[in-house]
Amino acid sequence: MANLRSWKKALRNAVDYPWDSDIDSDHPKCPRCGSTMDFHGHDDDGDFAYGEGYWECDSCGFKVTENDV
């Protein structure tokens, strides 16, 4: 697995500064298996409070919340 701390830092940078990142913050690569993850979070209806959204990998089940990055 890639260094999780570095991965989280890079993802946080992609969320905060998308124009300055090569990472797609809605679909980053999973640090465990390398598959594409999906973001599940807030939309116009406010499904999740900001910070409670999460990324999940369908391949290996790895999950991380916005508050964790």
Side-chain angles (χ1 to χ4, degrees):
M1 176 179 4
N3 182 320
L4 190 56
R5 177 177 272 161
S6 296
W7 181 85
K8 286 180 179 180
K9 185 176 180 180
L11 181 57
R12 171 50 51 200
N13 187 61
V15 169
D16 291 343
Y17 308 103
W19 60 87
D20 196 29
S21 177
D22 294 333
I23 298 172
D24 177 357
S25 62
D26 286 337
H27 305 286
K29 289 192 181 228
C30 177
R32 284 194 181 160
C33 71
S35 294
T36 301
M37 299 177 77
D38 291 316
F39 179 72
H40 304 276
H42 25 81
D43 60 16
D44 292 337
D45 296 326
D47 284 350
F48 292 95
Y50 284 98
E52 294 179 2
Y54 63 93
W55 293 266
E56 185 172 27
C57 178
D58 289 335
S59 296
C60 72
F62 178 75
K63 183 177 173 181
V64 64
T65 67
E66 286 178 295
N67 286 333
D68 290 335
V69 298

